[in-house]
Amino acid sequence: MKLSIKQKIQQLDIALRESKFEEVELLSKDILKNQPTHPGVTHTLAIAQQKMGKLNEAETSYKKAIDLKPDYADAHYNLGFLLRVINKLDEAEERFKKAIEIKPDLVQAYNALGGVQQKLGKLNESEISYKKAIELKPDYADAYMNLGITLYKNYKFNEAEASYKKAIELKPDYAEAYINLGINHHKLRKFHEAEISYKKAIELKPDYADA
């Protein structure tokens, strides 16, 4: 029995949830033969291609999804994430900003935007982006950790210490935050505290090469 488009999309959603990305790619392409202007399926195809390491194809598919639906916040966000991976940082920044413009409560976009701005050396802007992510999600441990890195890079060592400690408070097994806290303690010449932080990181993650 021939499946309807609705049934095929249901199959597609199941395959995506189960991380069967080759199947997702095949199903998406099959659906798009008959529904070439379906932005959701095009976006799903892009996700599968990205997961499979087909980054150029994924970039093309994300852009096609956005052409079909310019206000597709998730597509802008995911394209931004891909562009960050391939080091197109200026383009990634613009995509994250567009996602936020469309969907102002997309908290992960603020965190991702902060990361790109940090890499671009836009530290004050990065700080603002991370703080907005935290404002939207006060228990966002990763945003506190990332904010700490930006503050550290901007020579705000006392503020960075507070941010790392908040990340650890929210996520007590956060080995990376302990490492960064230890490095920050060194900058503040708190050598005993640094030693404690490094030891805690190793306790949590014995193979931590940086510790």
Side-chain angles (χ1 to χ4, degrees), residues 179-191:
I179 286 288
N180 286 324
L181 178 59
I183 293 168
N184 196 80
H185 281 321
H186 261 286
K187 280 291 183 183
L188 292 170
R189 303 188 67 79
K190 297 180 177 180
F191 300 120

Side-chain angles (χ1 to χ4, degrees), residues 68-196:
L68 293 168
K69 186 181 178 184
D71 64 346
Y72 203 158
D74 288 346
H76 284 285
Y77 169 77
N78 286 327
L79 176 56
F81 198 89
L82 183 150
L83 291 166
R84 184 177 70 177
V85 168
I86 61 177
N87 213 35
K88 294 182 179 180
L89 299 180
D90 290 309
E91 291 180 54
E93 181 182 21
E94 290 309 309
R95 292 297 177 176
F96 290 136
K97 284 182 176 178
K98 187 64 179 178
I100 288 164
E101 178 188 322
I102 297 165
K103 196 173 180 181
D105 62 347
L106 192 60
V107 63
Q108 65 267 34
Y110 285 101
N111 186 53
L113 176 60
V116 167
Q117 290 166 330
Q118 184 189 102
K119 287 188 174 183
L120 288 169
K122 300 178 179 181
L123 298 179
N124 292 332
E125 292 176 48
S126 174
E127 181 179 343
I128 290 167
S129 296
Y130 285 134
K131 286 181 174 177
K132 183 63 180 180
I134 290 163
E135 178 187 325
L136 290 169
K137 188 179 178 185
D139 63 348
Y140 201 165
D142 286 347
Y144 275 106
M145 218 284 291
N146 293 331
L147 173 60
I149 294 171
T150 287
L151 292 167
Y152 176 87
K153 287 178 178 288
N154 214 14
Y155 305 100
K156 298 180 179 180
F157 302 122
N158 289 313
E159 292 177 57
E161 179 180 0
S163 196
Y164 291 138
K165 285 182 175 178
K166 185 65 179 178
I168 290 164
E169 177 188 324
L170 292 166
K171 189 177 175 183
D173 62 347
Y174 208 158
E176 187 180 355
Y178 276 106
I179 286 288
N180 286 324
L181 178 59
I183 293 168
N184 196 80
H185 281 321
H186 261 286
K187 280 291 183 183
L188 292 170
R189 303 188 67 79
K190 297 180 177 180
F191 300 120
H192 178 64
E193 290 92 332
E195 182 181 357
I196 292 169

Side-chain angles (χ1 to χ4, degrees), residues 21-71:
F21 299 119
E22 290 184 6
E23 185 178 339
V24 170
E25 183 181 33
L26 291 171
L27 284 167
S28 297
K29 288 181 175 179
D30 181 52
I31 293 167
L32 290 169
K33 285 178 187 176
N34 297 308
Q35 296 279 331
T37 60
H38 196 300
V41 174
T42 306
H43 179 243
T44 300
L45 172 61
I47 292 170
Q49 289 168 330
Q50 183 174 353
K51 293 289 188 180
M52 294 165 66
K54 300 179 179 180
L55 301 185
N56 290 332
E57 293 175 49
E59 183 177 353
T60 299
S61 296
Y62 281 131
K63 288 179 177 177
K64 178 70 183 296
I66 290 165
D67 286 342
L68 293 168
K69 186 181 178 184
D71 64 346

